[in-house]
């Protein structure tokens, strides 16, 4: 049997290598495939600009608003592309590095930005843009002067903002009136943070290692509008990439309360973190994200832009010499996620500005400047990167030799033969070896489960994060198969799920008895191996994150006391 298993493993390794060689065009290097594309030059903007907002309106018009123009002077203008020409419209205020929040009504909320030329000061100003009429209406006031601020609309229609630059920070909301209201403090002030909705009325705040004055901070601390802040151990090793523009949570959403954002470590390697509610994990990828290439070092400068229809995500970069632009395409629905890196050798001034996804799945970048210019000399260039429905290029497919195909076919045939032989051997072995132990009767299963429950109540073995089913079996003087069978038969769940129910119940008990206890202490004392497992399991059982459950429980207790 061991020989068959070893042979099976060998065949699987051979098959895996063959498949990888075939997927990599025969290279077998495991590196991200580089594919050249040709970007399309669209009509130039009427006004060169940087630190502006770009989006497609519900009417399908590419639109840019605000920013600053040549001389580092804020411009109170917007423009939209129609019939191949840019149409300029006046705004009420200037929004140079302000916040732009598309609303479910189709309108766009604009707020904040630099107060004066050269990126000095901040503003209170708020206005609304109606793409249907191309009109701007100044109507409101922020809670404080802000620039480098991010915003997002929640499912309940409330708009939440946070972030600032050279001024104090807080989380504030807008509920349709003329004023924004500060609703909670932040433990770490930030500039252009990510605001990730985690429920219909709550968000969490994630940002890089710089605060609102450019000083280093602990990027592993995550704040919430409702509930206490918490530490993400993964963000101690992998830090969000510093962005020079506002972030859009809607742009990097892959599902309900699920997001992607780029990170890097101290060695300079780049990766992608996937967020599901409040659980952070690295997105497994089939190849490393390229940083050092034959074209030189790549600087990735944008957030992730998600095309949910095609389950593809993009991130843009440039090489230090500014001779090429790069677009990393990530097929995030695959596990591991496959990637291609598209590049163009065309010289273009647009850079360090957020691209926008077109309705048909391409990327457009508007304005900005490159490393050879500054904020005083932004460009009017507009470029489209044709990425929609891009497949593996024919040239790459043709590089796969016939030898690779024969190797692949041979490996598959060998795998089938080995698998068939192993199944035949197992069947003969089962016939020759009588069943040593039968499953316990209904009554015996129930009696054993009573002993398991008593053990759980008295000894609390679930508080051991390394607990195994054999530990319970050894304590009760039976075997592991009986334990698993009884739990599944009576409790209708697996051993792991049964243990996690006890751990969650214990965690709830801790939070009830000690309202001020830190969540880190809760998961350690409750037997969870790590914070990610704790948050995922707790929400899976209760339907709420630990902090949400705790807040609701405290509110109920307060109501009962009244």
């Amino acid at each position: 049997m061991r020989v068959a298993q070893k042979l099976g493993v060998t065949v699987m390794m051979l098959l895996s290598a063959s498949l990888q060689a075939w997927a990599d065009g025969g290279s077998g290097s495991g590196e991200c495939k580089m594919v050249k594309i040709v970007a399309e030059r669209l009509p130039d903007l009427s006004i060169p600009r940087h630190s502006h907002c770009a989006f497609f309106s519900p009417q399908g018009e590419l639109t840019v608003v605000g920013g600053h123009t040549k001389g580092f002077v804020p411009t109170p203008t917007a423009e939209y592309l129609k019939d191949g020409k840019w149409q300029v419209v006046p705004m009420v205020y200037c929004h140079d590095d302000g916040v732009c929040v598309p609303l479910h009504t189709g309108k766009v909320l604009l707020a904040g930005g630099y107060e004066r030329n050269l990126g000095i000061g901040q503003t209170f100003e708020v206005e609304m843009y109606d793409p249907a009429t191309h009109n701007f209406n100044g109507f409101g006031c922020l809670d404080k002067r802000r620039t480098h601020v991010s915003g997002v609309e929640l499912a309940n229609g409330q708009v939440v903002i946070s972030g600032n630059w050279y001024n104090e920070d807080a989380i504030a909301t807008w509920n349709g009136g003329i004023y924004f209201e500060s609703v909670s403090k932040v433990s770490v002030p930030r500039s252009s943070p990510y605001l990730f909705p985690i429920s219909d009325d709550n968000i969490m705040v994630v940002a890089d290692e710089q605060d609102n004055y450019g000083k280093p901070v602990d990027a592993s601390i995550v704040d919430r509008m409702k509930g206490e802040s918490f530490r993400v151990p993964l963000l101690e090793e992998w830090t969000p990439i510093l962005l020079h523009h506002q972030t859009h949570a809607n742009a990097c959403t892959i599902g309900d309360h699920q997001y992607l954002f780029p990170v890097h470590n101290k060695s300079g390697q780049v990766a992608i973190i996937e967020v599901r509610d409040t659980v952070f994990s690295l997105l497994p990828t089939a190849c490393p994200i390229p940083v050092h290439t034959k074209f030189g070092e790549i600087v990735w400068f944008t957030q992730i832009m998600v095309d949910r229809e095609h389950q593809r995500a993009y991130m843009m970069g440039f090489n230090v010499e500014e001779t090429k632009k790069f677009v990393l395409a990530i097929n995030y629905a695959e596990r591991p996620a496959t990637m291609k890196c598209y590049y163009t050798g065309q010289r273009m001034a647009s850079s360090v500005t957020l691209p926008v996804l077109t309705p048909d799945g391409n990327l457009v970048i508007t304005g900005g400047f490159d490393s050879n210019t500054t904020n005083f000399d932004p460009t009017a260039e507009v470029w489209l990167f044709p990425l929609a429905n891009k497949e593996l290029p024919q040239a790459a497919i043709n590089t796969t030799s016939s030898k690779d195909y024969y190797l692949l076919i041979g490996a598959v045939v060998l795998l089938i033969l080995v698998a068939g032989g192993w199944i035949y051997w197992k069947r003969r072995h089962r016939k020759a070896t009588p069943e040593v132990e039968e499953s316990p009767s209904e009554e015996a299963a129930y009696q054993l489960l009573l002993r398991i429950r008593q053990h759980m109540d008295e000894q609390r073995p679930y508080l051991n994060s390394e607990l195994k089913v054999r530990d319970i079996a050894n304590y009760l003087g039976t075997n592991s198969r009986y334990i698993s069978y009884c739990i599944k038969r009576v409790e209708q769940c697996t051993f792991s799920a049964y243990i996690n129910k006890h751990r969650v119940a214990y965690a709830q008990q801790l939070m009830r008895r000690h309202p001020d206890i830190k969540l880190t202490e809760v998961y350690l004392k409750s037997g969870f191996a790590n914070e990610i497992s704790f948050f995922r399991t707790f929400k899976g059982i209760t339907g709420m994150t630990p902090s949400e459950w705790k807040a609701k429980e405290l509110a109920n207790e307060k109501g009962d006391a009244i």
Side-chain angles (χ1 to χ4, degrees):
M1 180 176 178
R2 290 180 179 177
V3 174
Q5 288 178 332
K6 289 182 179 179
L7 183 58
V9 170
T10 302
V11 173
M12 287 301 294
M13 292 175 63
L14 179 62
L15 178 59
S16 176
S18 302
L19 288 169
Q20 186 63 52
W22 177 75
D24 289 340
S27 67
S29 64
E31 296 181 352
C32 185
K33 180 169 290 294
M34 309 293 288
V35 181
K36 188 173 183 179
I37 59 173
V38 178
E40 177 185 350
R41 180 78 175 266
L42 300 183
D44 284 1
L45 296 168
S46 298
I47 300 172
R49 60 182 81 216
H50 181 56
S51 300
H52 55 285
C53 249
F55 55 87
F56 275 88
S57 68
Q59 292 73 27
E61 297 170 343
L62 176 59
T63 307
V64 297
V65 295
H68 62 260
T69 188
K70 292 185 179 295
F72 210 151
V73 177
T75 173
T77 63
E79 45 189 308
Y80 60 95
L81 186 61
K82 186 173 184 179
D83 298 329
K85 295 183 179 180
W86 287 96
Q87 311 294 324
V88 179
V89 292
M91 299 167 61
V92 179
Y93 308 115
C94 297
H95 298 287
D96 184 17
D97 263 327
V99 63
C100 169
V101 185
L103 306 177
H104 71 275
T105 61
K107 296 183 179 181
V108 181
L109 181 70
L110 305 165
Y114 289 119
E115 182 182 26
R116 300 189 298 278
N117 300 341
L118 310 184
I120 298 174
Q122 312 85 19
T123 73
F124 287 103
E125 298 159 346
V126 180
E127 62 186 298
M128 189 73 73
Y129 173 57
D130 186 350
T133 61
H134 302 115
N135 288 327
F136 289 86
N137 175 40
F139 73 92
C141 182
L142 289 173
D143 60 314
K144 55 176 56 66
R145 295 177 181 270
R146 292 183 185 261
T147 188
H148 284 270
V149 54
S150 298
V152 65
E153 183 184 28
L154 299 180
N156 62 7
Q158 185 180 60
V159 172
V160 183
I161 63 169
S162 187
N164 215 338
W165 185 243
Y166 274 75
N167 200 13
E168 62 181 0
D169 186 17
I171 298 175
T173 60
W174 175 72
N175 294 290
I178 63 174
Y179 296 109
F180 279 72
E181 178 185 1
S182 294
V183 294
S184 60
K185 296 181 179 179
V186 291
S187 60
V188 180
R190 301 167 174 89
S191 169
S192 300
Y194 288 101
L195 305 185
F196 294 134
I198 52 178
S199 68
D200 289 351
D201 62 351
N202 198 9
I203 59 104
M204 62 181 177
V205 186
V206 179
D208 55 66
E209 69 268 26
Q210 289 190 9
D211 70 0
N212 53 333
Y213 287 89
K215 298 178 180 178
V217 294
D218 187 350
S220 68
I221 300 297
V222 174
D223 285 323
R224 281 178 283 192
M225 182 171 70
K226 296 180 179 180
E228 61 186 22
S229 60
F230 62 97
R231 183 182 298 276
V232 178
L234 185 60
L235 294 181
E236 295 177 356
E237 178 184 0
W238 295 92
T239 305
I241 289 178
L242 176 65
L243 301 177
H244 299 277
H245 47 71
Q246 67 163 311
T247 60
H248 295 285
N250 292 338
C252 57
T253 301
I254 62 174
D256 187 24
H257 304 155
Q258 299 175 36
Y259 313 94
L260 299 177
F261 66 94
V263 292
H264 63 102
N265 60 16
K266 292 181 180 179
S267 65
Q269 181 58 50
V270 175
I272 299 169
I273 283 184
E274 179 179 11
V275 182
R276 292 177 180 267
D277 296 309
T278 57
V279 178
F280 293 67
S281 59
L282 284 179
L283 180 74
T285 56
C287 58
I289 295 177
V291 177
H292 304 287
T293 71
K294 64 181 181 180
F295 303 115
E297 183 178 355
I298 300 178
V299 178
W300 298 104
F301 65 90
T302 72
Q303 70 170 84
I304 302 293
M305 311 294 293
V306 173
D307 180 356
R308 285 179 288 278
E309 180 180 354
H310 300 99
Q311 296 187 310
R312 241 184 169 198
Y314 301 100
M315 178 172 64
M316 288 197 67
F318 59 82
N319 65 327
V320 177
E321 294 79 14
E322 282 286 352
T323 56
K324 289 179 173 61
K325 291 292 186 296
F326 298 86
V327 180
L328 184 69
I330 309 129
N331 297 309
Y332 60 82
E334 300 178 4
R335 287 297 187 275
T338 57
M339 299 187 296
K340 293 190 187 76
C341 187
Y342 299 97
Y343 69 92
T344 174
Q346 295 160 273
R347 182 75 186 185
M348 56 186 71
S350 299
S351 190
V352 198
T353 188
L354 186 65
V356 59
L357 194 69
T358 70
D360 54 0
N362 295 310
L363 278 185
V364 171
I365 191 166
T366 59
F369 62 87
D370 62 25
S371 60
N372 296 315
T373 58
T374 66
N375 273 300
F376 292 87
D377 191 27
T379 182
E381 292 181 10
V382 180
W383 291 88
L384 181 143
F385 295 81
L387 301 167
N389 302 318
K390 279 284 184 185
E391 300 296 339
L392 193 65
Q394 191 64 35
I397 296 176
N398 291 338
T399 60
T400 304
S401 67
S402 59
K403 177 182 177 181
D404 292 319
Y405 290 112
Y406 290 129
L407 182 61
L408 176 62
I409 294 171
V412 171
V413 171
L414 184 58
L415 177 61
I416 293 172
L417 292 175
V418 171
W422 184 79
I423 292 172
Y424 175 74
W425 181 90
K426 283 289 291 181
R427 287 178 176 175
R428 289 199 61 184
H429 180 74
R430 284 177 179 174
K431 289 180 180 179
T433 306
E435 188 69 35
V436 177
E437 298 170 336
E438 297 180 354
S439 300
S441 65
E442 187 82 21
E443 178 63 24
Y446 182 73
Q447 291 299 325
L448 179 56
L449 189 66
L450 290 179
R451 296 176 60 202
I452 295 172
R453 289 174 178 172
Q454 183 179 6
H455 181 47
M456 292 293 157
D457 294 339
E458 294 178 355
Q459 303 299 325
R460 296 176 179 172
Y462 52 83
L463 299 183
N464 176 10
S465 63
E466 298 181 357
L467 179 69
K468 301 292 189 297
V469 63
R470 66 173 177 269
D471 299 327
I472 305 296
N474 291 339
Y475 185 88
L476 297 179
T478 182
N479 63 67
S480 299
R481 192 173 65 84
Y482 274 17
I483 297 292
S484 297
Y485 175 84
C486 292
I487 291 175
K488 186 175 182 180
R489 182 70 177 270
V490 182
E491 296 289 346
Q492 300 295 308
C493 66
T494 64
F495 173 80
S496 177
Y498 180 72
I499 295 302
N500 280 335
K501 287 180 183 178
H502 282 80
R503 287 171 175 161
V504 168
Y506 188 82
Q508 291 172 322
Q509 186 181 60
L510 283 177
M511 289 188 284
R512 284 195 192 97
R513 294 180 177 178
H514 309 284
D516 297 328
I517 192 172
K518 298 294 183 182
L519 291 182
T520 302
E521 188 176 358
V522 172
Y523 87 76
L524 289 174
K525 287 186 174 182
S526 301
F528 288 96
N530 53 65
E531 190 174 22
I532 292 176
S533 175
F534 172 53
F535 277 89
R536 183 186 294 119
T537 304
F538 194 100
K539 184 161 187 180
I541 292 176
T542 67
M544 294 179 282
T545 65
S547 293
E548 290 170 345
W549 181 90
K550 181 179 177 182
K552 183 177 180 180
E553 189 71 14
L554 292 176
N556 290 338
E557 290 182 1
K558 184 177 180 181
D560 293 339
I562 294 174

